[in-house]
Amino acid sequence: MSVSLNILFDLSTNSFSYPFTKQHFILYKKVTSQYNDPDVLQYVNLLVPERIRKNIKTQLKTEDIFEVVNFNNYGYGDFHSTNNLDIRNDSTDKEGDEVCNVKHDSSSTSFSPSFLDSLKELMVWFKKDFMRWVDKNPSCDNCGRQLTLEYIPGNTWKIRGIENYYCSFCNAVFSFPRYGKIKEIADNRMGKCSEWTFLFGAILNSFSIKTRIVHDFLDHCWNESFIGGRWVHIDSTLAFPISFDHPSYYEKNWNKKYIFVLAFSESNLEDVTISYTMEWNQVLNRRSKLKQTQLEKFKKFYQQISLK
């Protein structure tokens, strides 16, 4: 028995323990199915500037792309924490490079410097030039005052809802549709972490870099790409290099208290929590309050979702 993709995004239909909803699972199944759609992949690939496309394709043809080098010596490991900084709102120095004061994730491994250069170029373009970040409490572009939100819920994965923002002072209106279709996200060029993750995952897949979606079921999602024989953390909402292979960043700097961190591809759902925590015993303690069959229920439901 398959589950219809037209299920309403209504929590009354959910039988999982909050915050795990069937609607999330249906959404991720359908989004990751687009990662195997040649038409979608060609569409998003052509959005990338030609120079960046050529650089990445050149690196992917290089035999020593994953040659082991010292990551710290390459200049991406010398971070010293002075506070817990959310670098989605990153600052820049006078040359325009991101300044990162974060707790260093010592799990970062080594990759080819030329590959890292190409990946950095892609991520900086995506974050700074292509996408627009939508704040939780956005201000008016015209007068700078706080906007009032009117939320219209959607009824399918294709459009989860519409966030309409109004300025009571200058009457400006800002509309933000929560799309699930990657082409529409690409055309809209704005979003929160889910839209950024969905689209950037498609872009990486368009270069034949196998990429999936990861969700912590707290308040954030990101990507993982299969590079050098393992799944590597990639978060397009963060400033490079923290956006690449720093899986402990959220727990260290955002004080995350995980129960499940799940990775989604079209055909599979995987529990990857252990890759993102240094407090595994605390995670197990939180899980002990749930039914032992919870993960099995997630996987069974995910396999039942129809893509028709």
Side-chain angles (χ1 to χ4, degrees):
M1 177 180 174
S2 63
V3 179
S4 171
L5 286 172
N6 290 323
I7 185 171
L8 294 178
F9 273 56
D10 179 355
L11 291 182
S12 65
T13 67
N14 184 56
S15 62
F16 295 156
S17 300
Y18 180 82
F20 308 100
T21 73
K22 290 183 176 180
Q23 288 73 25
H24 280 117
F25 288 56
I26 292 170
L27 175 65
Y28 295 147
K29 183 88 166 188
K30 191 57 180 176
V31 171
T32 53
S33 74
Q34 296 172 79
Y35 288 175
N36 295 311
D37 184 329
D39 182 55
V40 170
L41 297 184
Q42 181 183 35
Y43 188 86
V44 300
N45 190 267
L46 292 175
L47 297 174
V48 180
E50 184 177 3
R51 175 179 54 82
I52 298 177
R53 287 205 315 271
K54 287 183 177 180
N55 287 344
I56 293 175
K57 290 177 180 178
T58 298
Q59 291 307 314
L60 291 175
K61 293 178 181 178
T62 303
E63 292 184 6
D64 64 350
I65 185 172
F66 301 121
E67 177 187 0
V68 175
V69 296
N70 190 312
F71 194 75
N72 290 344
N73 288 345
Y74 189 52
Y76 291 152
D78 299 325
F79 302 107
H80 305 280
S81 174
T82 57
N83 53 36
N84 294 341
L85 177 67
D86 180 348
I87 55 177
R88 282 178 294 188
N89 300 316
D90 54 88
S91 57
T92 58
D93 64 17
K94 61 183 179 181
E95 296 179 352
D97 294 327
E98 285 114 347
V99 177
C100 307
N101 296 317
V102 300
K103 295 181 180 179
H104 175 50
D105 184 351
S106 60
S107 68
S108 289
T109 53
S110 301
F111 296 90
S112 160
S114 53
F115 171 71
L116 287 172
D117 280 338
S118 297
L119 182 63
K120 176 183 178 180
E121 191 175 31
L122 177 67
M123 298 190 79
V124 170
W125 162 78
F126 185 79
K127 178 176 171 62
K128 290 188 172 293
D129 299 332
F130 189 78
M131 287 294 281
R132 172 185 176 183
W133 180 260
V134 178
D135 289 330
K136 290 182 179 179
N137 299 297
S139 300
C140 179
D141 289 339
N142 295 332
C143 66
R145 288 173 170 79
Q146 192 77 41
L147 296 175
T148 300
L149 169 65
E150 177 192 38
Y151 181 73
I152 303 173
N155 64 355
T156 77
W157 65 270
K158 295 179 182 179
I159 182 162
R160 295 170 282 161
I162 300 175
E163 297 178 10
N164 289 322
Y165 294 92
Y166 301 92
C167 180
S168 58
F169 183 81
C170 69
N171 297 320
V173 178
F174 166 57
S175 184
F176 170 41
R178 307 303 305 273
Y179 292 124
K181 299 191 76 172
I182 288 171
K183 283 186 177 181
E184 292 180 345
I185 295 173
D187 290 341
N188 207 32
R189 296 181 62 172
M190 68 172 68
K192 300 181 180 179
C193 61
S194 58
E195 286 82 10
W196 285 52
T197 296
F198 297 169
L199 178 55
F200 197 68
I203 290 173
L204 290 173
N205 274 289
S206 78
F207 289 104
S208 298
I209 301 174
K210 186 177 181 182
T211 301
R212 60 188 182 181
I213 295 168
V214 180
H215 189 187
D216 65 9
F217 289 91
L218 295 172
D219 63 356
H220 196 49
C221 61
W222 57 91
N223 294 115
E224 281 186 345
S225 293
F226 197 73
I227 302 173
R230 67 181 180 88
W231 289 103
V232 178
H233 156 261
I234 293 182
D235 188 338
S236 60
T237 71
L238 300 179
F240 194 90
I242 302 301
S243 55
F244 178 76
D245 200 27
H246 282 73
S248 299
Y249 172 78
Y250 312 110
E251 189 175 67
K252 291 178 180 178
N253 294 275
W254 295 357
N255 196 32
K256 293 283 189 174
K257 304 296 182 184
Y258 298 124
I259 299 176
F260 283 106
V261 180
L262 302 178
F264 298 86
S265 61
E266 180 181 354
S267 60
N268 189 40
L269 178 160
E270 183 180 348
D271 178 10
V272 295
T273 314
I274 199 167
S275 298
Y276 291 91
T277 184
M278 300 180 70
E279 301 176 348
W280 183 240
N281 287 335
Q282 288 91 325
V283 171
L284 292 178
N285 183 56
R286 294 182 204 110
R287 288 188 182 185
S288 67
K289 301 174 184 178
L290 300 174
K291 294 181 180 179
Q292 294 298 315
T293 59
Q294 191 81 337
L295 183 60
E296 287 71 21
K297 286 177 62 178
F298 294 160
K299 291 182 176 180
K300 182 178 180 180
F301 178 77
Y302 199 68
Q303 292 299 323
Q304 290 176 339
I305 299 172
S306 170
L307 291 175
K308 295 180 180 180

